Amino acid sequence: KIKASLSLRGSADIASRMKRGKIRSLIAAAFVIYFMVRTHNSSMSLTVNSDVGGSDRKGNQKITTAEPYKATVFYPNVAAKYSEDLARLAIAPVWSCLNGDDKLKEQIKVAFVHVFKTAGSTMRDFFKEYAKSCPGKGWVTVIGCSDATAESIRSDNFNWSPCVAKEMITREGKFNWLSDYIKSQKRLDNANDTLADNNLLERNVDMYGGHMQLGTGDFLKNREGKLVKTRYITFFRDPVPKYVSGVLYDKRFLMRNKTITRKEIIECMKTEVKAKILIGSYSVKYFEYFQTPFQKEFLRENNIEWSWEEMTNVVMRNLVEYNVIAGVVEHMPASMKILHHALDHEKQIPKLFEEEIRSNGAGYSTSDVVDELKTDKEFFELLNEYVKYERMIYEFGLKMHEQQYAALFHNN
């Protein structure tokens, strides 16, 4: 019945969807042209930076308008394709972990974009240990930043909103809860002590990460007031176990208290997926993290709503534009080798990069639940339909990862 309903709905809506898609594309093109003309008339020079990481564009701008970022907010000249040259740039060593390396200090930041249920706990622990072992770098864990506004990120005077700085490894390698540290520095003494902002990250650490968006660090500066380069790192995961793991995590307290069975959880998944598919909704968690704050602002201010396909394409172009270091949960050893080359090319702390994914204690095994879902072939087909846009992004990220891994041996 569900298949029949989907088929009828698809044939009835296809013409209108194509029409809406064309209209959206025309509107988006019109806005791009408008801001390009506005930029030209304002005598503003925009250049695309080809440096490692691809996130120092604003350092090459001659800004004479209030909001120059809008001219290239969707990177219209960036193709959703990845090359060997970009892969080599992505994995290039970031800095040295040898003592006395001050040359790159505060000139580069490393930002870990933690997508929900993609080895985030493992990687946060990794970066904390790395900060203790690599002198002078430091680390801040941020939480709740996946909707941080463009306005707050551009500001030197306001906290990122919403966003909380939870914990820090200082440049000296010491752990601090942020609230205790800031109070000890007599910066603030109210409930907003631990809100993240540009000043906190600029002055105290060179690495930060958590649930946040690509582009969150685009306005961080060094002590000379120049914008720093940001090297973004993220992980991808097959969308089916990623979805299952997310549901198990949401139900973890019920599982621990044994007030819900695995069978009941599976029924919850089936009910949710069938209901979402019937209303034309899909799992698109990657959109939350791989759109930039500036893109979200642009769409909201201009009342534009992209189609699923358009937003998927935007995400892929963002991944290329920022040239993220791409880890993959299913290829953890290869992912850690890429990180080892980028973060410790002199092999000062090799054992740290033998990290394995650890369970977050959700309760039931994700792989066992996936195997059980596969026994219902009709539903499993629907589940794959539900995550199809995430799969497109996952497969794109996987190709980036494979090319970056191959570049390790090319460089040698």
Side-chain angles (χ1 to χ4, degrees):
K1 290 181 180 179
I2 291 173
K3 281 186 177 179
S5 173
L6 286 171
S7 178
L8 288 171
R9 186 181 186 279
S11 28
D13 289 351
I14 188 168
S16 61
R17 285 187 180 183
M18 290 177 66
K19 184 177 180 181
R20 288 198 303 272
K22 290 179 180 178
I23 291 172
R24 291 190 187 99
S25 297
L26 288 171
I27 292 172
F31 275 110
V32 170
I33 292 170
Y34 166 74
F35 284 112
M36 287 177 71
V37 171
R38 176 181 170 183
T39 297
H40 175 75
N41 290 340
S42 301
S43 301
M44 182 183 72
S45 172
L46 284 174
T47 60
V48 176
N49 177 29
S50 60
D51 286 344
V52 175
S55 63
D56 192 28
R57 299 166 302 285
K58 300 171 186 63
N60 294 322
Q61 296 176 7
K62 297 177 181 178
I63 301 173
T64 57
T65 65
E67 299 174 298
Y69 69 95
K70 285 186 177 179
T72 54
V73 70
F74 287 105
Y75 317 121
N77 296 322
V78 178
K81 295 181 180 179
Y82 201 62
S83 67
E84 291 180 5
D85 288 340
L86 284 173
R88 285 194 290 272
L89 285 172
I91 67 168
V94 178
W95 48 43
S96 171
C97 283
L98 291 172
N99 290 326
D101 174 38
D102 293 323
K103 184 178 180 181
L104 293 177
K105 190 174 182 180
E106 298 182 353
Q107 306 303 313
I108 295 178
K109 300 286 187 188
V110 167
F112 170 56
V113 178
H114 172 197
V115 177
F116 184 59
K117 304 315 299 176
T118 56
S121 298
T122 298
M123 294 312 300
R124 285 201 308 271
D125 288 347
F126 162 80
F127 278 110
K128 285 189 283 188
E129 291 304 314
Y130 176 79
K132 295 175 184 177
S133 305
C134 190
K137 300 302 181 283
W139 163 266
V140 164
T141 302
V142 296
I143 58 176
C145 300
S146 58
D147 286 315
T149 65
E151 181 181 14
S152 66
I153 286 169
R154 288 193 297 269
S155 172
D156 290 330
N157 303 313
F158 299 101
N159 297 311
W160 291 356
S161 177
C163 190
V164 173
K166 181 181 178 183
E167 57 190 7
M168 177 170 69
I169 305 297
T170 67
R171 292 189 189 279
E172 295 73 37
K174 297 179 180 179
F175 175 86
N176 279 293
W177 292 108
L178 257 297
S179 57
D180 295 337
Y181 175 79
I182 294 174
K183 287 175 182 176
S184 72
Q185 301 298 306
K186 298 181 180 179
R187 288 183 56 195
L188 294 169
D189 59 1
N190 57 41
N192 292 327
D193 282 355
T194 56
L195 293 180
D197 60 36
N198 287 349
N199 290 326
L200 175 69
L201 299 176
E202 287 167 353
R203 297 173 183 175
N204 295 286
V205 297
D206 291 325
M207 302 184 296
Y208 58 97
H211 292 304
M212 64 183 190
Q213 305 154 90
L214 277 179
T216 303
D218 281 3
F219 284 83
L220 295 178
K221 302 181 183 71
N222 61 20
R223 291 184 181 181
E224 288 74 43
K226 296 180 180 179
L227 292 166
V228 301
K229 299 174 185 177
T230 299
R231 301 280 295 275
Y232 288 92
I233 299 171
T234 195
F235 270 69
F236 300 86
R237 185 179 186 181
D238 185 287
V240 169
K242 177 172 169 289
Y243 166 75
V244 170
S245 181
V247 174
L248 293 177
Y249 182 78
D250 289 340
K251 306 289 186 186
R252 65 192 184 283
F253 297 115
L254 295 175
M255 289 187 289
R256 288 172 187 169
N257 295 331
K258 298 183 178 180
T259 56
I260 190 170
T261 65
R262 188 168 77 176
K263 182 178 180 180
E264 288 171 331
I265 292 174
I266 289 174
E267 287 305 312
C268 286
M269 292 180 191
K270 291 183 176 181
T271 300
E272 178 186 46
V273 169
K274 291 174 182 178
K276 291 289 182 68
I277 289 253
L278 283 173
I279 62 172
S281 184
Y282 298 89
S283 176
V284 286
K285 281 287 185 180
Y286 282 127
F287 290 4
E288 294 180 21
Y289 305 97
F290 297 153
Q291 288 183 75
T292 71
F294 320 108
Q295 291 169 346
K296 291 181 181 179
E297 179 185 62
F298 182 86
L299 295 177
R300 183 178 63 255
E301 288 183 350
N302 295 286
N303 198 28
I304 298 174
E305 185 179 349
W306 294 113
S307 69
W308 306 105
E309 292 82 1
E310 288 166 332
M311 187 53 71
T312 299
N313 186 263
V314 165
V315 163
M316 291 177 181
R317 284 188 281 129
N318 287 349
L319 295 170
V320 175
E321 169 66 16
Y322 284 91
N323 200 11
V324 302
I325 295 178
V328 177
V329 171
E330 290 80 12
H331 300 276
M332 201 64 181
S335 300
M336 297 310 294
K337 286 182 180 178
I338 292 172
L339 290 180
H340 195 183
H341 180 80
L343 298 176
D344 182 37
H345 67 286
E346 294 162 325
K347 297 181 171 53
Q348 297 297 301
I349 42 177
K351 288 187 178 181
L352 183 62
F353 293 86
E354 298 172 2
E355 189 75 33
E356 295 183 1
I357 297 176
R358 64 176 179 81
S359 170
N360 61 9
Y364 300 120
S365 163
T366 295
S367 58
D368 288 347
V369 173
V370 171
D371 288 342
E372 189 165 342
L373 290 173
K374 286 180 180 178
T375 62
D376 186 339
K377 293 182 180 180
E378 185 175 3
F379 171 74
F380 201 70
E381 184 178 341
L382 284 177
L383 178 56
N384 275 286
E385 171 70 11
Y386 179 56
V387 300
K388 67 178 182 181
Y389 295 108
E390 293 226 328
R391 183 165 298 284
M392 292 177 191
I393 296 169
Y394 166 76
E395 290 177 353
F396 187 81
L398 178 59
K399 288 179 181 177
M400 291 180 67
H401 165 81
E402 289 172 344
Q403 286 182 269
Q404 290 173 8
Y405 185 66
L408 290 177
F409 306 97
H410 218 270
N411 285 342
N412 293 334

